[in-house]
Amino acid sequence: MASVSSQPQFRLTQPPSKVLHLRNLPWECTEEELIELGKPFGKVVNTKCNVGANRNQAFIEFADLNQAIAMISYYASSSEPAQVRGKTVYLQYSNRQEIVNNKTTADVAGNVLLVTIEGADARLVSIDVLHLVFSAFGFVHKITTFEKTAGFQALVQFSDAETASSAKNALDGRNIPSYLLPEHIGPCTLRITYSAHTDLSVKFQSHRSRDYTNPNLPVAPSAIDGGGLFSVGLDGKKLEPESNVLLASIENMQYAVTLDVLHMVFSAFGPVQKIAMFDKNGGLQALIQYPDVQTAVLAKEALEGHCIYDGGFCKLHISYSRHHDLSIKVNNDRSRDYTIPNTAMLNPQPSILGHQPVSTIGPPAHPYSGTQFAPPTEHPAMPQPSAGWAAGVLAAPHSMLAQMSNQPYLPPGAMPPQMGPGMMSMAGPSRLPQGAAMPPPYRPGQMQ
DNA sequence: AGCACA
């Protein structure tokens, strides 16, 4: 009575599926042979051969469930077994409902790009860098990365084929800007084709896959340490536990970074409850409190390593704080509790208009101007702010204010004084790339 | 001869 059916993976009967699992196939069975086998019963819409350790298994997917049932039923009662090249093949319903194929390339333009990253250090390119690069062309819905014989590859999903093709046209054959990459790593060239996918299935956020449309997606179990206290970072190194409070330190602070600048930058991801600024080791640091961990994670991932101002000025380094609720004793120019409704009390009306950054947001000599990305037909020193993809690329990593203050988070019915016209002008929409239909990272109501 | 990526 050693019933194999007690092992779920060897159940004798599978529930019907459009997908059939085939085994005992001859060596190097081709897709054509599989189609030939299935054709009498219906339309084979997809196949996958050379599956399994011996590469002698395969899947075929019919257009219709009834066609799969017809094939199974036929061979269940036939005296002639199913055969390929005279070899008996065994078939049953697959335990999956559709074939997910890695036939990643397509001939026609689609909304998903297949990106191959070439270069000795290609696999050191993080999914966040890819996200940044491709976000310059529009909202990136999802990214998955994987390693195949072709090397390190990624699938990047946009809303539509138009956005995807603008990214493809701009980036194919170009190098990822070195300033986005870790130190001392070689050039990484992007080779881009269209993928046959239209909607990637991302089950959890991990170091290999992201779904930017669903911030509530669970983090991959594989990316969480057994204790659960520490999560594993993009490079597999341990990180401090996540927190709703971020610790930001500001490097290369050529320009004053005020409470209001920080509030604006961090408000792009959700309501900022409290900010406390202080000096440490000769540099400026700030604690930024969000209502929840999730928002803080979003903000950290988006902002880490980026500069508030163009030209590498005021670079942010962000980690999770051990704090969870800051105690703000007094509202002044270095600390503020935005949850206190008494706006009259906290209104020093600082405005960065009094500081130089307004005129220096776009430094005259842009150090990154198109040298790596700019198409040869354009003037590298003169990125066209509203027309070129180059401006978009540059805007993403270097002018966060320009992009993020576009639609900062505002509490319903509230117009904080620090969101005055001075602030908005500094982030003038003129710097936004044309394709900046990119939704703001945070919208009230979107995240429950 | 028994189910594919993260």
Side-chain angles (χ1 to χ4, degrees):
Chain A
M1 221 66 116
S3 163
V4 287
S5 62
S6 62
Q7 300 166 304
Q9 68 269 37
F10 292 156
R11 273 196 314 254
L12 293 174
T13 58
Q14 294 284 148
S17 165
K18 297 199 305 279
V19 182
L20 302 183
H21 176 234
L22 285 69
R23 53 202 156 82
N24 202 38
L25 286 158
W27 177 245
E28 297 206 332
C29 175
T30 65
E31 175 174 39
E32 287 69 32
E33 288 171 311
L34 296 177
I35 294 174
E36 203 61 33
L37 189 66
K39 199 155 61 179
F41 305 96
K43 181 165 168 51
V44 176
V45 293
N46 207 350
T47 65
K48 187 178 180 70
C49 0
N50 303 320
V51 167
N54 298 326
R55 298 169 60 79
N56 61 353
Q57 301 172 44
F59 298 93
I60 67 180
E61 178 178 339
F62 283 100
D64 190 88
L65 178 62
N66 291 329
Q67 300 167 351
I69 294 174
M71 184 165 181
I72 291 291
S73 307
Y74 175 82
Y75 285 113
S77 58
S78 166
S79 53
E80 292 283 307
Q83 291 187 329
V84 171
R85 286 182 233 161
K87 192 164 185 231
T88 297
V89 305
Y90 302 89
L91 48 129
Q92 63 192 148
Y93 297 116
S94 170
N95 52 26
R96 306 210 195 180
Q97 287 305 117
E98 61 181 5
I99 293 178
V100 323
N101 59 345
N102 49 15
K103 292 251 172 51
T104 40
T105 53
D107 298 331
V108 291
N111 64 319
V112 178
L113 298 177
L114 172 64
V115 180
T116 304
I117 299 108
E118 295 178 347
D121 303 316
R123 57 216 64 222
L124 298 179
V125 176
S126 76
I127 200 165
D128 296 300
V129 166
L130 293 173
H131 180 231
L132 200 54
V133 167
F134 284 88
S135 290
F137 303 90
F139 179 59
V140 173
H141 287 229
K142 302 174 187 179
I143 299 181
T144 63
T145 63
F146 47 92
E147 292 193 41
K148 276 286 162 58
T149 45
F152 185 54
Q153 294 188 304
L155 292 164
V156 179
Q157 178 176 342
F158 286 102
S159 305
D160 49 61
E162 289 67 40
T163 315
S165 57
S166 70
K168 176 178 183 294
N169 293 336
L171 298 176
D172 189 17
R174 303 193 181 277
N175 292 344
I176 296 174
S178 56
Y179 61 82
L180 292 178
L181 298 171
E183 309 269 318
H184 309 120
I185 94 165
C188 295
T189 309
L190 301 171
R191 302 285 171 199
I192 305 178
T193 59
Y194 293 108
S195 164
H197 288 95
T198 56
D199 190 17
L200 305 173
S201 109
V202 174
K203 305 244 177 16
F204 26 62
Q205 316 284 17
S206 75
H207 63 299
R208 314 210 60 168
S209 63
R210 299 288 169 85
D211 181 344
Y212 301 97
T213 67
N214 183 4
N216 299 319
L217 206 60
V219 169
S222 65
I224 297 178
D225 181 297
L229 265 180
F230 292 82
S231 57
V232 173
L234 302 165
D235 311 323
K237 50 185 184 199
K238 294 237 177 127
L239 300 174
E240 66 278 10
E242 293 177 349
S243 167
N244 63 314
V245 178
L246 297 176
L247 172 65
S249 52
I250 294 143
E251 178 189 300
N252 193 18
M253 203 170 71
Q254 301 284 316
Y255 303 127
V257 171
T258 63
L259 196 66
D260 301 282
V261 168
L262 290 175
H263 183 258
M264 187 173 83
V265 168
F266 284 85
S267 288
F269 305 91
V272 170
Q273 292 183 320
K274 301 176 185 178
I275 299 181
M277 297 166 70
F278 52 93
D279 293 306
K280 183 152 186 186
N281 305 330
L284 182 69
Q285 298 197 348
L287 292 163
I288 296 97
Q289 177 175 335
Y290 288 108
D292 53 80
V293 173
Q294 227 163 49
T295 311
V297 171
L298 274 181
K300 178 175 185 289
E301 292 198 354
L303 297 176
E304 168 56 27
H306 296 208
C307 304
I308 297 179
Y309 299 113
D310 272 350
F313 302 125
C314 304
K315 185 172 185 182
L316 291 169
H317 285 292
I318 301 178
S319 57
Y320 296 110
S321 166
R322 296 179 308 276
H323 296 90
H324 297 289
D325 189 20
L326 304 176
S327 118
I328 305 290
K329 302 217 166 52
V330 56
N331 283 322
N332 57 25
D333 63 347
R334 306 211 93 191
S335 63
R336 194 161 305 173
D337 183 343
Y338 297 93
T339 63
I340 294 178
N342 184 358
T343 51
M345 180 183 153
L346 43 90
N347 189 8
Q349 191 50 285
S351 164
I352 59 155
L353 282 172
H355 299 272
Q356 64 273 47
V358 171
S359 56
T360 49
I361 291 304
H366 203 299
Y368 310 108
S369 292
T371 47
Q372 304 190 56
F373 269 152
T377 52
E378 295 205 3
H379 305 290
M382 286 288 288
Q384 297 299 307
S386 62
W389 52 267
V393 169
L394 297 169
H398 291 290
S399 193
M400 297 186 309
L401 290 179
Q403 288 212 340
M404 290 169 181
S405 63
N406 188 23
Q407 291 175 274
Y409 171 83
L410 290 178
M415 182 62 177
Q418 63 275 13
M419 284 302 178
M423 209 56 172
M424 303 308 274
S425 74
M426 121 188 202
S430 63
R431 279 196 60 83
L432 288 172
Q434 194 170 39
M438 182 160 67
Y442 175 87
R443 276 179 297 188
Q446 195 178 47
M447 298 176 50
Q448 302 179 353

